[in-house]
Amino acid sequence: MTRVLVTGGTGFIGSWCVLALLDAGHTVRTTVRDPRREPALRSWLQAAAPFDDDRLTVVPADLGQPHGWDEAVADCDFVLHVASPTLRQTPTSDDELMIPAREGVLRVLRAARDAGVRRVVLTSAFGAIGIGHPPRSTPFTEEDWTDVDSDIPPYQRSKTLAERAAWRFIEDDGGGLELATVHPVGVLGPLLGPDDPPSLRLVRRMLEGRVPACPPFGMGYVDVRDVADLHLRAMTSPKAAGERFLAVAGHSMRVVDIARTLHERLGERAAKAPTRELPVWFARALGLVNPEVRLLRHQLGRDLDATSAKAERLLGWRARPIQDTIEDTAESLLAHGIGN
């Protein structure tokens, strides 16, 4: 099989991509910022699906630093660029997220081009597609781009600008390197290790009783295992070169319907989950004093629907029912002692 580099192998999506590649028979190299996390990563992966340990190599590399990337991509056929710069605290300016995100993507693309990599699959986000638009009745597709000139949060702006920089690089300086991008919506699913992915915090807080009422909006969700599967399909299919792919299971889902699913599937173990949705006017007022709600101001009262018809048509991708994913997410959190 082929040798594949996965950036950010200890992350939620990255670790599932590594596992999917190993399960498919590929040889995998993955980057970590902290080499001391290698034993834990190997332990998580082996516990999920035992594999030949020689097929996985873990190397140190940081998106914010130039060194290590030439060695990371050497002799690789493909790159799944999943890693994204992280901040320890809320950014004081947009540039704190945007500049590292853009420069990190370009750093990986340059190294991949120079190493003769065939294709890079970049993990982008729905945040690069469906934010900053006026209300609409039709689902978002891969033809849409987030409006970076509107008043949007730094994360969505950084993902959009980083992806646009990637496509410009491929067009102007790619030298034959192919690019495909994957755009997950809200990513749920089981944990491989004891980490606390940001995308699972809503379910965790519901189980802990820390969400007294649900914010009034809906968006798409998808299982992390299906996101990993879409990365592999985008990596290998000739039809994927030069394409963007949304990853979403079905249609948008109200936050309160996630809570209702927890009650239906887990019974008393989800007794602390909320049962009601905040009025839109109250959520807007709450956003004036609550920073987390303030970040949702563009979503309040809306359903941000999206479609994966393109991935289904071109790549044969199918997502599992999101209700099953919500149940698996909660069971995994409870098994790891999170949400009890």
Side-chain angles (χ1 to χ4, degrees):
M1 301 296 286
T2 56
R3 183 185 303 277
V4 184
L5 173 70
V6 179
T7 67
T10 56
F12 187 40
I13 296 176
S15 59
W16 277 103
C17 285
V18 170
L19 188 66
L21 288 163
L22 290 169
D23 189 57
H26 299 283
T27 298
V28 182
R29 184 183 296 148
T30 190
T31 65
V32 295
R33 288 194 304 271
D34 185 353
R36 292 173 296 182
R37 299 198 67 188
E38 178 179 349
L41 175 61
R42 288 186 180 275
S43 175
W44 303 344
L45 296 170
Q46 289 284 9
F51 60 92
D52 180 356
D53 211 51
D54 292 337
R55 288 198 293 117
L56 175 64
T57 305
V58 181
V59 298
D62 189 323
L63 286 175
Q65 302 296 328
H67 52 269
W69 291 104
D70 290 341
E71 295 80 4
V73 299
D75 303 319
C76 287
D77 302 285
F78 301 100
V79 173
L80 304 187
H81 181 32
V82 185
S84 185
T86 57
L87 294 176
R88 303 300 180 192
Q89 56 190 12
T90 302
T92 57
S93 72
D94 286 3
D95 286 349
E96 286 188 61
L97 269 176
M98 287 188 292
I99 292 175
R102 183 178 63 242
E103 293 307 311
V105 166
L106 294 177
R107 188 166 281 133
V108 172
L109 289 175
R110 290 190 195 101
R113 176 200 61 194
D114 295 345
V117 169
R118 291 160 55 187
R119 182 180 299 172
V120 173
V121 179
L122 169 65
T123 310
S124 187
F126 174 76
I129 286 178
I131 308 300
H133 299 278
R136 58 192 280 178
S137 59
T138 56
F140 287 97
T141 75
E142 293 84 355
E143 298 299 316
D144 294 304
W145 281 89
T146 283
D147 181 4
V148 295
D149 295 323
S150 62
D151 178 25
I152 63 174
Y155 174 78
Q156 283 85 354
R157 182 176 283 110
S158 72
K159 296 299 284 189
T160 308
L161 294 176
E163 189 195 347
R164 285 199 177 277
W167 287 114
R168 283 196 300 270
F169 175 87
I170 292 298
E171 181 177 355
D172 298 338
D173 301 300
L177 176 66
E178 296 177 347
L179 178 66
T181 59
V182 173
H183 298 256
V185 287
V187 182
L188 303 175
L191 293 161
L192 284 175
D195 278 5
D196 182 23
S199 64
L200 302 192
R201 287 176 189 167
L202 174 62
V203 176
R204 173 173 62 82
R205 290 171 179 173
M206 285 181 174
L207 293 173
E208 293 172 338
R210 294 170 58 194
V211 182
C214 296
F217 72 89
M219 58 177 284
Y221 296 91
V222 67
D223 194 294
V224 66
R225 294 164 291 188
D226 296 328
V227 175
D229 176 55
L230 183 53
H231 277 75
L232 268 65
R233 291 171 184 264
M235 180 184 85
T236 56
S237 173
K239 298 178 181 178
E243 300 289 350
R244 309 169 85 208
F245 296 100
L246 271 161
V248 55
H251 294 284
S252 66
M253 187 177 198
R254 303 289 286 191
V255 176
V256 71
D257 288 326
I258 295 177
R260 289 168 179 160
T261 300
L262 291 173
H263 283 286
E264 292 169 4
R265 296 292 183 98
L266 275 75
E268 286 302 312
R269 290 182 297 154
K272 297 177 182 178
T275 58
R276 60 193 178 92
E277 183 179 87
L278 288 173
V280 175
W281 67 265
F282 186 84
R284 294 191 191 282
L286 186 62
L288 297 175
V289 296
N290 186 309
E292 291 189 0
V293 177
R294 189 180 309 131
L295 288 174
L296 301 173
R297 61 188 180 278
H298 295 289
Q299 298 169 237
L300 296 176
R302 298 181 59 186
D303 285 281
L304 297 179
D305 201 9
T307 175
S308 284
K310 181 178 178 180
E312 295 170 4
R313 183 179 71 255
L314 291 185
L315 305 182
W317 180 78
R318 296 291 184 274
R320 69 198 70 200
I322 198 61
Q323 289 80 9
D324 293 347
T325 295
I326 293 168
E327 180 181 1
D328 289 349
T329 302
E331 293 286 5
S332 180
L333 288 169
L334 293 171
H336 283 87
I338 302 170
N340 288 315

